[in-house]
Amino acid sequence: DPNALSPLDDGRYTFAVPVQLAAVPDKTLIYADQEAEDNREPFEQPPLAVSGEDEIFIGMQYKDADGKDKWIVQKAAMTGDSFFDVMDRRYAEPVAGAYVGESVYFRVIDPTKDASDEKDLVTLELTTKSGQKKQVELVETFTHSGVFKGLARLVHAQDKAAVKEVGAMPTIYGDVLSAKYVSLKTGQSAEYSVEVFKGADGHVLPFTKRFKDPAVAVETQFMIAEAYFELAKRHRQLGEESLARREIAQGRRLLEEAIADYPNTTARAQAEYLLADLALESGNDAANAAMKKKYFMDAIAKYGDIVSSYPDNEYAPKAQFRKALAYEKMDMLDEACEEYVKLSYRYPDNPLVAETIARLGQYFLNKGRGFLAAAEKQTDPVEGEKIRMQGREMFKTGGQVFARLSERFPSHALAGKTLLLSAQCYMQGEDYPAAIKGYDRIITKPDMNKDLVAEAMYWAGHTHMQAEDMASAYRMFKKLTWDYPASSWAKFARGRLADERLLDIED
């Protein structure tokens, strides 16, 4: 009112009640006691739960001139705008056309059609230029959302079997499909036309079989993706980089589609593991140092997500191992060592722990060699000896780690080799009794590889010489020439037997 005075002068009072689509609450929204009223924030109002078909009544009580109670009552009916779209499968983009055999997806947003506490329905009228008519029901996405979705699959009108399927819409090539939505309450209507393309889309799919079991479908898609990756490896070996990149992209797309289409499948961890492996392989093949680092860090992040998201899945220990391997390839050996230890701690009985032990032992072996190399460059003899002491401790730790593999996994392929490496670590750490004990375990162990036994006998003799036990060194070298005369280690032993100190033993 342009002639109105201020609210204070006119005595006007205003208030607002928020309204939302929701189920009717179990308890009244009216404050039943003074304490609740006193504790309420100023101007705070709980939302009023309504459905799209409700009317809201607002009443104010007052006394007339005679002192009698009177009511002023107003009412407001629910209304709202409606929106209608025809979209792609993920409801991300509108579509203007589709091929026979594809589906079109409908979305209606109309809050006035939310009529109950269940998922409500709305109806679309579908017609084609060729004269076909059909009604399609859209289902509310969840209760009180006011958003309704559904689809229709375009089939050729002459395909009698397909026409009878649920959700099928008969059409012909070059047809036009019209979809119309009318809101009976508001009278609003919206119509959308979709062109039906002539012919087929011309895409050749790698696998078109439909499976009743989603797990089988996903597994098949994974196998196809792995096949693409194997092809890419072969083509890289042949120097066909462009073809290899296309095959990798196709395999990655298949995996990503499988994850998106079946997000709840138990094979999701496998898909993410394959994608992480792909990043690791790409890092191996990258020529640029920056790209190598980018791929390796991407692989590390993906492997970490698998371990944290699927700790009990069979791919979790594999991912933990590969994460450590990625750090190792980046020469971040301390981080790699930490990840290998995590694998041993989290999955102590997993077969990968054996290889983890071997890599941890190699880590300490390399550390020891690094200290010895640094000591050689040191001009101060005292400092040089300090560094050598650190190196000897690293070798001893490496010996302890290597020895654990054969103890925990005696039948593993690396059991014998790591036992030899353990003894060699002790030897370089100048713990000669422990080294000799390790070599003896190899020499006396039944069914041990003959080449390993010959090598262990040679280094045992060398260790005896280091410990100034020439008699034992002579016996070991001599026994090696007798037991394994054709081996290269026997040839080395014959050379060592020519040492003056051993000649005296022979005399």
Side-chain angles (χ1 to χ4, degrees):
D1 182 356
N3 300 316
L5 299 176
S6 69
L8 185 61
D9 293 328
D10 269 355
R12 292 199 305 273
Y13 298 83
T14 60
F15 68 96
V17 178
V19 176
Q20 69 178 22
L21 292 173
V24 176
D26 295 332
K27 296 181 180 180
T28 177
L29 300 182
I30 300 171
Y31 290 96
D33 56 80
Q34 188 62 40
E35 182 181 354
E37 182 81 18
D38 294 340
N39 292 331
R40 182 160 58 89
E41 292 291 330
F43 306 109
E44 178 190 12
Q45 283 285 356
L48 181 64
V50 298
S51 75
E53 297 182 347
D54 273 341
E55 282 185 319
I56 300 175
F57 293 86
I58 307 101
M60 189 196 76
Q61 191 178 28
Y62 71 100
K63 292 184 182 295
D64 64 9
D66 298 329
K68 294 181 179 180
D69 288 337
K70 297 285 186 179
W71 284 88
I72 297 176
V73 179
Q74 296 287 350
K75 66 179 181 179
M78 293 289 96
T79 186
D81 293 326
S82 59
F83 301 90
F84 175 43
D85 298 290
V86 180
M87 312 188 77
D88 62 6
R89 183 177 182 179
R90 292 177 174 82
Y91 293 92
E93 299 289 340
V95 297
Y99 289 94
V100 173
E102 292 182 335
S103 296
V104 287
Y105 298 83
F106 307 109
R107 182 183 68 183
V108 168
I109 303 175
D110 188 351
T112 66
K113 297 304 292 181
D114 175 50
S116 69
D117 290 341
E118 305 297 327
K119 291 184 178 181
D120 296 302
L121 304 174
V122 298
T123 303
L124 294 183
E125 295 286 343
L126 302 185
T127 59
T128 63
K129 189 177 179 181
S130 59
Q132 300 288 342
K133 291 184 179 181
K134 191 168 185 177
Q135 288 188 337
V136 174
E137 286 189 334
L138 310 188
V139 182
E140 198 170 10
T141 53
F142 52 91
T143 57
H144 303 298
S145 70
V147 179
F148 304 82
K149 291 182 178 179
L151 61 88
R153 181 169 172 266
L154 304 182
V155 300
H156 200 280
Q158 294 181 1
D159 189 346
K160 303 302 181 183
V163 168
K164 295 178 181 178
E165 293 178 0
V166 177
M169 180 62 196
T171 185
I172 60 175
Y173 298 126
D175 213 342
V176 177
L177 172 68
S178 295
K180 185 176 182 180
Y181 172 69
V182 178
S183 177
L184 298 178
K185 185 166 185 178
T186 63
Q188 290 181 317
S189 66
E191 190 167 357
Y192 206 110
S193 294
V194 178
E195 179 185 359
V196 180
F197 298 131
K198 295 180 180 179
D201 59 6
H203 291 299
V204 179
L205 299 179
F207 208 91
T208 57
K209 182 176 176 61
R210 291 172 177 259
F211 294 95
K212 293 181 180 179
D213 185 357
V216 177
V218 172
E219 195 67 34
T220 304
Q221 208 154 344
F222 290 168
M223 292 174 68
I224 297 170
E226 288 182 290
Y228 273 114
F229 296 153
E230 289 299 321
L231 282 172
K233 289 179 185 177
R234 298 293 183 269
H235 285 130
R236 272 182 174 164
Q237 292 171 359
L238 296 172
E240 299 181 19
E241 285 294 330
S242 178
L243 180 56
R245 283 195 297 272
R246 289 199 300 272
E247 288 164 342
I248 288 173
Q250 178 66 29
R252 182 189 288 111
R253 187 160 55 250
L254 284 169
L255 291 178
E256 290 171 346
E257 286 177 358
I259 294 174
D261 292 343
Y262 304 96
N264 298 321
T265 180
T266 55
R268 184 184 177 93
Q270 181 185 357
E272 295 185 5
Y273 179 80
L274 290 174
L275 287 172
D277 265 1
L278 179 59
L280 186 64
E281 292 291 336
S282 299
N284 290 334
D285 297 334
N288 183 279
M291 290 303 297
K292 269 185 178 293
K293 182 177 180 180
K294 176 180 178 295
Y295 282 125
F296 285 143
M297 292 306 295
D298 183 32
I300 287 168
K302 284 183 166 64
Y303 287 131
D305 289 342
I306 294 168
V307 175
S308 59
S309 301
Y310 314 99
D312 299 324
N313 191 279
E314 62 177 310
Y315 286 93
K318 296 179 183 179
Q320 181 66 50
F321 178 80
R322 302 284 277 182
K323 182 180 180 181
L325 185 63
Y327 275 123
E328 191 176 325
K329 289 180 178 293
M330 294 174 69
D331 291 328
M332 299 173 67
L333 297 181
D334 290 337
E335 289 82 356
C337 180
E338 183 179 340
E339 296 302 326
Y340 283 132
V341 170
K342 286 180 182 178
L343 174 62
S344 300
Y345 177 75
R346 289 173 175 166
Y347 309 100
D349 299 323
N350 192 278
L352 285 171
V353 173
E355 192 167 345
T356 296
I357 292 172
R359 289 186 174 275
L360 283 172
Q362 191 66 43
Y363 167 80
F364 288 110
L365 176 60
N366 292 335
K367 277 275 190 179
R369 288 171 177 170
F371 279 119
L372 291 187
E376 292 298 323
K377 297 177 182 179
Q378 184 59 247
T379 55
D380 185 345
V382 175
E383 289 298 320
E385 183 57 28
K386 286 182 180 178
I387 296 173
R388 287 188 187 88
M389 288 177 64
Q390 290 178 291
R392 288 194 287 271
E393 289 303 314
M394 284 294 169
F395 283 126
K396 291 176 185 177
T397 303
Q400 293 169 2
V401 173
F402 277 129
R404 289 174 190 160
L405 195 150
S406 61
E407 293 172 3
R408 293 182 58 184
F409 305 93
S411 59
H412 195 277
L414 294 173
K417 183 65 177 177
T418 52
L419 200 57
L420 179 65
L421 287 170
S422 171
Q424 289 175 332
C425 282
Y426 282 122
M427 179 182 70
Q428 293 183 78
E430 298 182 12
D431 187 347
Y432 300 130
I436 292 169
K437 184 178 178 181
Y439 290 130
D440 285 344
R441 286 177 63 190
I442 299 172
I443 295 167
T444 59
K445 191 174 182 180
D447 302 324
M448 180 60 73
N449 181 278
K450 293 181 179 180
D451 291 334
L452 276 178
V453 173
E455 186 176 355
M457 292 176 73
Y458 174 83
W459 289 114
H462 173 80
T463 306
H464 282 303
M465 289 189 71
Q466 294 290 100
E468 300 297 331
D469 184 355
M470 298 304 168
S472 297
Y474 174 81
R475 292 191 193 96
M476 189 60 67
F477 285 138
K478 203 71 175 175
K479 181 174 174 57
L480 172 57
T481 60
W482 290 340
D483 293 351
Y484 303 98
S487 69
S488 58
W489 297 105
K491 181 177 68 175
F492 300 149
R494 294 185 190 100
R496 298 298 294 271
L497 285 168
D499 190 292
E500 290 183 1
R501 293 172 293 175
L502 299 185
L503 288 173
D504 291 342
I505 297 295
E506 185 167 357
D507 292 340

